[in-house]
Amino acid sequence: MHGLFHPERPAAAYDAFIPDALPRARAQRDWTPADGALPALYISHGAPPLFDDGPWIRELFAWAQALPRPRAILIVSAHWENAPLALSAPAAHTPLVYDFGGFHPRYYQMRYDTPDAGHLARRVAAMMPRGQAPHQHGERGLDHGAWVPLMAMYPLGDIPVLQLSLPTHEPGRLMDLGRRLAPLRREGVLVVGSGFMTHGLPFTTREMITEGVVPGWSSDFDAWAADALERGDVEELAAYAQRAPGMPYAHPTPDHFLPVFVTLGSADDAERPARTVIDGYMMGLARRSFELG
């Protein structure tokens, strides 16, 4: 049976996307100080099946094209929980982390050779409290929560990218971290939280995978989050574990929702209504992705 998990030609949708995308990516206008701060983004990032979903690839690319080309990208992924705070290796061409299993070998051969991000690493370290500089990894590359969506958004791979770990499960502390990072947006750095708006993988069913059936726990949580984001209700979002419908099925572990709070913290005003850019579902899971100025 073919589908997003077992495509007839792995990453064929991505291969079809590239010839048109690369010239457009090369023509993208660079960010300048006159543009002001870039928005803070939260992205539902997918996994290798994203490369077989042509419409989703193009949605992510169109989002990136609607913005000036950033000078650098700082991304916090659900797939790297580490305390104390840590940064990925900044060197150019650091090998990727293939932190997934059971897929076609093609996905383990994909590359995203971004330039040196040493300047951004030093800038982030300087923004942390005295004595709390993040640990700088020498070898850890970008995990799939970073490189998968960025290969769709910025397929040239010519923008420095640095990944920051999730150091806590506490929404308030993650928002404080985002506030420290907020000045980067005014320097042309795109600050991205990467997760998935619902991520109940232990509760997926055959119907969700093969027929796209959306369970109530996924749609209910997504509708609740959309409403809270539209109202700028940070207190409600921070109490998701207790207040959100669909819990704990929508997030049996918190990792894919927590990047929301880094995004909110790095925005100019976390209580300003967020703008949803991508919505809908993939295999029953909510893809809601948004930006805040």
Side-chain angles (χ1 to χ4, degrees):
M1 179 185 297
H2 295 301
L4 291 181
F5 271 109
H6 301 286
E8 186 173 357
R9 289 193 303 117
Y14 189 75
D15 292 339
F17 153 79
I18 283 295
D20 175 63
L22 293 186
R24 293 173 60 192
R26 293 189 185 101
Q28 185 173 13
R29 181 178 66 83
D30 290 339
W31 177 90
T32 70
D35 291 309
L38 287 168
L41 275 54
Y42 172 82
I43 294 173
S44 292
H45 61 241
L50 174 62
F51 295 120
D52 301 293
D53 190 331
W56 194 1
I57 292 170
R58 286 173 170 79
E59 284 180 298
L60 286 166
F61 182 66
W63 191 359
Q65 287 285 293
L67 304 172
R69 179 181 179 274
R71 289 181 172 176
I73 299 169
L74 180 67
I75 188 164
V76 179
S77 160
H79 297 281
W80 191 18
E81 297 179 83
N82 189 93
L85 194 66
L87 292 169
S88 63
H93 313 304
T94 298
L96 300 176
V97 178
Y98 301 96
D99 51 338
F100 45 78
F103 292 95
H104 189 278
R106 166 78 193 276
Y107 306 109
Y108 302 90
Q109 298 162 3
M110 300 184 96
R111 300 287 299 273
Y112 195 57
D113 293 329
T114 52
D116 183 89
H119 176 77
L120 179 57
R122 293 186 291 273
R123 183 75 180 95
V124 171
M127 302 175 91
M128 297 300 113
R130 183 181 297 275
Q132 297 183 34
H135 172 68
Q136 180 67 74
H137 275 268
E139 298 181 358
R140 190 194 193 279
L142 305 175
D143 62 45
H144 83 265
W147 64 265
V148 167
L150 291 181
M151 281 183 66
M153 298 179 78
Y154 299 101
L156 293 172
D158 61 347
I159 299 172
V161 180
L162 195 68
Q163 188 170 340
L164 191 67
S165 72
L166 275 172
T168 177
H169 285 184
E170 296 179 27
R173 289 178 59 195
L174 291 172
M175 289 191 65
D176 287 343
L177 174 61
R179 292 185 188 101
R180 289 192 173 275
L181 301 173
L184 293 172
R185 297 175 36 243
R186 294 187 286 276
E187 301 168 16
V189 177
L190 191 65
V191 178
V192 181
S194 177
F196 219 113
M197 189 54 71
T198 60
H199 199 251
L201 291 185
F203 310 109
T204 53
T205 63
R206 179 179 298 274
E207 291 74 21
M208 290 170 64
I209 295 171
T210 62
E211 301 173 28
V213 171
V214 179
W217 51 259
S218 185
S219 59
D220 290 349
F221 185 98
D222 182 49
W224 167 87
D227 175 69
L229 287 165
E230 186 176 344
R231 292 185 291 103
D233 194 338
V234 175
E235 180 182 349
E236 179 76 0
L237 291 164
Y240 71 98
Q242 296 78 37
R243 298 184 188 176
M247 289 295 289
Y249 301 98
H251 289 285
T253 58
D255 47 355
H256 280 73
F257 193 64
L258 292 175
V260 162
F261 300 105
V262 179
T263 298
L264 291 173
S266 61
D268 291 339
D269 181 358
E271 296 184 348
R272 183 182 299 171
R275 184 176 82 89
T276 291
V277 179
I278 298 173
D279 58 11
Y281 299 86
M282 188 278 292
M283 299 181 188
L285 304 177
R287 303 182 307 146
R288 186 169 304 279
S289 304
F290 64 86
E291 65 177 42
L292 274 164

